Amino acid sequence: MKQYFVYTNEPELLNPFGDVYIPKLKMSFVVLTSELDITDVWNLPGVYEAKECEKGTLSV
């Protein structure tokens, strides 16, 4: 499973394609956890930008 930051105005359209996390604060993006590839995510209805979540650690 991969996670993506998906910028959309209609996050409910993404429900059939994976788990959608909608932040409590109104944001322009949601987090989509799905088996889809990034190119497939770009082609989903209502998506105007998508980025793969990067894994790593924060440096202070």
Side-chain angles (χ1 to χ4, degrees):
M1 296 289 258
K2 293 184 180 180
Q3 289 188 324
Y4 303 98
F5 291 116
V6 179
Y7 294 82
T8 179
N9 294 323
E10 302 172 282
E12 63 279 355
L13 295 177
L14 302 175
N15 287 328
F17 305 102
D19 295 328
V20 179
Y21 170 74
I22 301 173
K24 291 184 190 274
L25 296 174
K26 182 71 173 159
M27 304 296 276
S28 61
F29 69 89
V30 297
V31 177
L32 174 66
T33 304
S34 178
E35 292 287 338
L36 296 175
D37 191 63
I38 188 71
T39 54
D40 297 327
V41 174
W42 268 97
N43 292 320
L44 294 177
V47 173
Y48 58 89
E49 187 173 348
K51 297 179 182 177
E52 192 167 346
C53 293
E54 294 182 19
K55 304 217 188 264
T57 57
L58 293 175
S59 300
V60 178

